[in-house]
């Protein structure tokens, strides 16, 4: 989270763009998709804020406990929502990971924020890394097309155009969004 500036800014851009797309998904006509997108937008923007390189901005001491409170509330909401959809268990783990990272950063001395390579509780960090690496691999395989790609003639003829879903209702884009947040979480845990 507080490593070199260039990868940090790339992580900020990735997470912010993901959060912005999740805000677009909140316009969906499907209730469950809107709820899910709201949690994912919070996660994307929260990860973007956490990933800002320390050379550019060092958050005040109260910021880390504030992150823990916000994502603790998001974890409770995900726990409540998990009654109806198992997908919310992933949101619960993601929010818990954010609480964990905020707690590690709050407990670390100020000098630690400018160094990298140190780790929080290795067992928890390792377990979260295993989960998110597995999630990224599984989600990535779900994005691989099942059949051959459309030919240039099909694309040119417009046979693939039509009244398809809007930008907020495209399942493959939602999967790509989740994949990018999973990769960002792996990068943030490695930089912890």
């Amino acid at each position: 989270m507080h490593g070199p500036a260039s990868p940090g800014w790339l992580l900020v851009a990735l997470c912010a763009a993901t959060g912005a797309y999740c805000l677009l998904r909140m316009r969906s006509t499907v209730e469950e998709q809107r709820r899910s997108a709201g949690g994912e937008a919070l996660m994307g923007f929260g990860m973007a804020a956490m990933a800002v390189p320390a050379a550019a901005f060092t958050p005040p001491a109260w910021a880390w406990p504030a992150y823990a409170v916000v994502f603790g509330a998001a974890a409770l909401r995900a726990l409540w929502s998990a009654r109806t959809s198992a997908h919310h268990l992933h949101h619960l783990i993601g929010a818990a990971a954010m609480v964990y990272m905020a707690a590690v950063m709050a407990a670390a001395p100020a000098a630690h924020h400018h160094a990298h390579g140190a780790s929080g509780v290795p067992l928890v960090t390792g377990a979260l890394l295993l989960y998110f690496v597995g999630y990224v691999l599984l989600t990535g395989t779900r994005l691989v097309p099942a059949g051959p790609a459309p030919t240039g003639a099909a694309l040119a003829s417009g046979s693939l155009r039509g009244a398809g879903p809007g930008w907020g209702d495209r399942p493959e884009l939602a999967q790509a969004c989740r994949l990018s947040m999973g990769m960002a979480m792996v990068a943030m845990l490695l930089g912890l």
Side-chain angles (χ1 to χ4, degrees):
M1 287 187 333
H2 292 287
S6 289
W9 285 117
L10 289 173
L11 192 57
V12 169
L14 173 70
C15 293
T18 301
Y21 176 69
C22 290
L23 285 178
L24 282 176
R25 286 182 39 228
M26 287 180 68
R27 295 177 36 197
S28 172
T29 58
V30 180
E31 169 101 19
E32 178 61 26
Q33 178 133 336
R34 282 194 311 267
R35 273 199 308 260
S36 179
E40 291 168 359
L42 174 68
M43 184 69 71
F45 288 125
M47 290 170 67
M50 258 188 176
V52 172
F57 175 72
T58 301
W62 58 265
W64 300 116
Y67 279 128
V69 168
V70 168
F71 286 102
L76 289 175
R77 183 177 182 272
L79 181 62
W80 181 258
S81 298
R83 299 172 304 123
T84 59
S85 171
H87 173 70
H88 291 285
L89 291 175
H90 172 71
H91 289 181
L92 173 64
I93 294 169
M98 294 292 282
V99 170
Y100 169 70
M101 289 188 290
V104 168
M105 296 307 288
H112 174 270
H113 296 291
H114 298 289
H116 53 85
S119 181
V121 178
L123 183 63
V124 176
T125 304
L128 288 170
L129 273 170
L130 281 175
Y131 173 79
F132 282 103
V133 166
Y135 179 80
V136 164
L137 292 173
L138 181 63
T139 304
T141 59
R142 289 179 181 162
L143 284 173
V144 175
T151 63
L155 290 172
S157 71
S159 64
L160 295 178
R161 287 186 226 143
W167 282 101
D169 292 325
R170 306 230 3 212
E172 70 279 6
L173 290 178
Q175 282 292 99
C177 187
R178 292 180 188 118
L179 176 65
S180 65
M181 281 197 293
M183 290 186 302
M185 187 65 79
V186 168
M188 290 175 73
L189 286 166
L190 286 173
L192 189 61

